[in-house]
Structure formats: structure tokens, C-alpha cells
Amino acid sequence: MGDILDVIKSRKSIRRYKPDPVPDELIDKILEAARWAATGENYQPWRFIVIRDPETKNKIGDLARLGSGSRMTTWYCLGEMQERFTKIEDPVKRDEVLRFMYSGEVSEFAKQAPLVIAVIGTLMEGSVDVPYDLSATAENILLEAHSLGLGACWVHGPVASTRDAKKFKNILNIPTGMGEYKVIAYIAIGWPKEDRKHPRPKLPLEDLVYWEEFGRKERPKYE
Amino acid sequence: MNEMQYCNEVLVRLEELLFHELSGCAAWKTELVGVDFIQSKNIKGDTPDEIIQNCIREIKDAGFVADMTYEIGGKGIKLELKMKGCAHLPKENRLREDGVKPYICPITNMILDQLIEKLNYTTTYMGEMKIDETTGECRTRSAIFETPEMIGTVSNWDEE
């Protein structure tokens, strides 16, 4: 069995795509990876809606722009967005990035992606831990797409608020009852039009790992 | 124990639980909490001022707040609400004691809901909720977007 660490470590979110379509056999592989995700009690609550129709993708992109844009505009007006981007020293570049964020453009790239997969989960009686299962399947989609040379990005923006989630469901004819289906995200997929390498820096393990109990940083000898 | 105290205690447990499950994102998902009351009141109006004033009247008449004022600014997208003597103040205080920053304001939700329902606003978002427990005053600041084109209309709300 191969070690997939290189696949995991080299993946990053891709938001710009070439217009070339994603072949059906690759779509099938991505969906196959999705259905093998970890799931509590093997419940497999996930359902996937594969979207290639430009009109539908435009609607999803518009909704994502409004969702992210409304929140980020507010955060900017309250001064919170600016604090998040103080690391960008060039003021012109910083303003450019901030405008990209608060305009909502940061989340509307479903419009350009050749392939969009909506990840939803059934909340029918007996379901447990649905959001966690959906997160696991979304990660599988990202990793499989990356391993096939594609780029992908998981977008929560258009379903983050209750009203927007309902709009999203309406676009795709998903039943809208709060007890029926949960929409966790859409995943945009396509051939990368940006550098796939140099993922953003990650926190070092020593900042993340405790041994045997919370707060204990030194690794004890264990035989 | 009166009904409001019971209601606030129930809300505290739910608000804590939802924050524990969703962290900051919980605030984005609770926009409908409280709206049933105002939706039952047949609020009328053709402008934001009329809608907001009529909502405030109903909210005060119901005894949910003792006093309430509002201000629209920030190029038309900032809605600032100030409330005194809110019936939910014990909820906010209890949450803060428990280490959770309050993030659900049912009163603000009511007004944002009616801007969407009655004036067809594109979307709204409550970005800030401040509570002064010594004076019993609350302030929320929300963005109200009449049209999709207003997304990205920025200004400094602290300088107004």
C-alpha cells in the first residue's frame, strides 16, 4: 500500500481553472473516492450532485459571492478584515486582496470551474454525526482530485447562513426542510490555472501535539 | 420562575451547544431565531425607516425591550440598533459568565428579517453585538444590503 503523505502535503486550494472539461472517468474516480470516506456506523449519509451546467454554476457562484461578500464587507467596515491581513506589507497589494475578499469575488469561482460537486447529507431518522461524515467525504474528494492532477476548493460560503442554504437547495431542487438534507459545501474542480506547489505554511507539530494528556508537550519514552 | 427566565435559560443552553459545535460559524446560522414573533405581526412599510419603526413599536409593546433606537449610515448599509432593558439581557450575561461570547440577538434578527421579507432586501448580516451589563444597554451593528450591487460598499463604521 502506498504512502499518500506526498499527496496530502502537496495539495492546496485551487480557485482558478482552465476551461478544459474534466473527463467522465476522472469524475467517476473522484466520486468513488468520496463514497469510501470514513462514516459513523457505516451510515453513508452523503449524496453528491454533480454540476456542469454553466447556468447552474453561475447561480451558485453568485450566491457564494453574496454570502462571503456580505460577511466580509461587514467585517471590513468594523475594521476586523484589515487586522487579518496586516502581514501583507505592500499597501496596494493589501488593498487589492481586501477588495477581492469583501467584494465576495473570493468565493464566486464556481462560475469558472468546469465541474462543481455539491456535498449534501441525508438527515433522515437514524442519521448521526452527518456534518463530520460530510467533511470526511469532502476531504476525500479534494485529495483524489489533487492526485489526478486536478485542482479543487471546498467552499462553505453559499450555505453558511440558513437563508442562503435554502437558496442553494432551491437552485439544485434539494428538499428544503430542516430535517431532510444538510448542505455542507460545494467543491469546485478543474485543471489548475495557478501554481499547485508551495502550499501555505502550516503550524509546526510541536505547536499542535500533546502527549498522553492535554498540555504535555514532551514525548515520553514508551516501550 | 417566569416564562422569560425559562425562555432565556433554554436559549443559553442551545446557544452554548451550537457554539461548541460550530464555533464562530454558529452566528451565521442563527439568523431566524426570534423572527416568528415579528412575522406574526403583519409589519407594514415601504421604506427601511417605516419597517424598522413599526418593528420597534411591536417589540416595545410586547415588552421585549424598554427602549430602542436605530440609525442607518455607512453609505446606506450600516444598521445600528441600541436597546435598553432587553428581556434577553440575562441570557447574554449568563453566556458571558460561562465563557461564550453572545452571538444571537433575536431582536436584531426580527428587524433584519422584515427588511428582507417586506422590502426584498438581498441579504443582511449582524457583525457585532455589544452588551453593557452595568447599564443594561446593548448595541448591534449589522450590514443591510438592498441590492446585490451593494455588496462591497465599505466605509469605517467607527468614524461615523
Side-chain angles (χ1 to χ4, degrees):
Chain A
M1 191 175 293
D3 184 343
I4 66 163
L5 189 58
D6 286 342
V7 174
I8 292 170
K9 286 180 71 172
S10 59
R11 186 207 66 82
K12 73 165 195 170
S13 295
I14 299 290
R15 296 179 174 83
R16 291 190 299 149
Y17 313 94
K18 295 173 184 167
D20 314 65
V22 178
D24 276 345
E25 58 268 29
L26 298 192
I27 296 174
D28 291 344
K29 276 192 153 188
I30 290 166
L31 294 170
E32 184 66 5
R35 82 180 176 99
W36 283 95
T39 171
E41 299 182 19
N42 200 28
Y43 189 73
Q44 305 169 72
W46 39 67
R47 305 290 183 266
F48 309 100
I49 303 176
V50 180
I51 304 147
R52 289 178 288 187
D53 176 59
E55 191 181 335
T56 308
K57 289 188 295 179
N58 280 340
K59 286 179 185 172
I60 291 172
D62 283 338
L63 185 59
R65 185 180 75 81
L66 293 178
S68 296
S70 62
R71 285 184 290 277
M72 291 182 188
T73 295
T74 312
W75 297 336
Y76 185 95
C77 293
L78 291 167
E80 295 168 7
M81 284 289 289
Q82 295 88 323
E83 284 177 23
R84 284 171 52 185
F85 289 91
T86 49
K87 282 183 184 170
I88 305 175
E89 290 176 3
D90 179 351
V92 176
K93 174 83 175 166
R94 187 168 60 240
D95 286 350
E96 200 176 287
V97 170
L98 285 167
R99 196 207 61 79
F100 181 66
M101 305 293 280
Y102 65 64
S103 67
E105 287 173 27
V106 63
S107 293
E108 72 172 346
F109 49 88
K111 294 178 178 179
Q112 282 81 43
L115 173 66
V116 167
I117 298 177
V119 180
I120 71 173
T122 174
L123 298 167
M124 303 305 176
E125 191 174 344
S127 60
V128 289
D129 291 342
V130 171
Y132 310 119
D133 288 357
L134 298 185
S135 300
T137 199
E139 179 73 359
N140 272 19
I141 290 172
L142 297 179
L143 291 173
E144 179 64 13
H146 176 61
S147 76
L148 295 171
L150 293 158
C153 187
W154 170 347
V155 190
H156 182 55
V159 297
S161 82
T162 304
R163 278 196 183 88
D164 285 352
K166 188 172 180 182
K167 289 177 190 169
F168 188 90
K169 289 174 180 174
N170 282 331
I171 290 171
L172 298 175
N173 288 323
I174 301 166
T176 55
M178 292 293 278
E180 295 181 286
Y181 288 90
K182 172 157 184 73
V183 184
I184 201 159
Y186 80 76
I187 299 175
I189 303 171
W191 299 104
K193 200 178 171 184
E194 59 183 284
D195 193 352
R196 289 161 51 90
K197 294 176 183 171
H198 309 299
R200 295 169 75 186
K202 300 296 181 188
L203 292 172
L205 276 178
E206 54 264 33
D207 289 356
L208 308 173
V209 179
Y210 304 126
W211 295 90
E212 309 299 344
E213 63 180 350
F214 181 82
R216 185 174 175 183
K217 289 201 163 189
E218 73 280 11
R219 184 195 301 231
K221 284 190 177 176
Y222 197 81
E223 308 202 1
Chain B
M1 178 185 291
N2 63 33
E3 288 178 358
M4 202 63 220
Q5 184 183 348
Y6 174 71
C7 168
N8 279 327
E9 288 175 358
V10 169
L11 278 174
V12 164
R13 293 289 183 176
L14 287 171
E15 199 164 335
E16 283 182 350
L17 175 68
L18 201 58
F19 179 76
H20 189 77
E21 291 299 316
L22 293 171
S23 58
C25 185
W28 309 352
K29 300 186 183 299
T30 51
E31 61 196 317
L32 301 182
V33 174
V35 303
D36 301 278
F37 167 79
I38 207 73
Q39 287 183 355
S40 72
K41 294 300 175 187
N42 193 24
I43 299 294
K44 291 192 169 122
D46 297 321
T47 66
D49 287 306
E50 287 174 4
I51 291 289
I52 294 166
Q53 286 163 13
N54 288 333
C55 285
I56 290 174
R57 189 174 302 117
E58 291 289 351
I59 291 164
K60 285 172 71 175
D61 285 352
F64 295 153
V65 297
D67 195 19
M68 187 168 177
T69 58
Y70 77 98
E71 183 187 312
I72 296 174
K75 301 179 183 175
I77 71 156
K78 182 189 81 168
L79 173 63
E80 183 169 316
L81 296 170
K82 287 183 179 169
M83 290 153 266
K84 197 163 188 177
C86 178
H88 292 298
L89 198 58
K91 166 179 87 72
E92 324 305 2
N93 291 337
R94 165 84 182 275
L95 281 166
R96 293 201 297 184
E97 285 169 16
D98 292 353
V100 174
K101 189 178 172 189
Y103 60 90
I104 299 175
C105 177
I107 306 298
T108 300
N109 284 351
M110 290 183 201
I111 290 172
L112 299 181
D113 174 77
Q114 289 300 291
L115 292 173
I116 291 171
E117 294 294 326
K118 300 294 165 60
L119 297 182
N120 203 26
Y121 268 50
T122 299
T123 190
T124 62
Y125 176 65
M126 185 183 78
E128 185 184 65
M129 182 175 173
K130 286 198 168 171
I131 301 122
D132 186 335
E133 63 185 22
T134 55
T135 61
E137 291 179 345
C138 306
R139 181 187 76 174
T140 65
R141 290 195 287 181
S142 307
I144 53 174
F145 300 97
E146 186 176 5
T147 64
E149 291 72 31
M150 293 181 82
I151 299 286
T153 303
V154 294
S155 61
N156 185 342
W157 288 357
D158 287 330
E159 287 182 356
E160 294 184 355

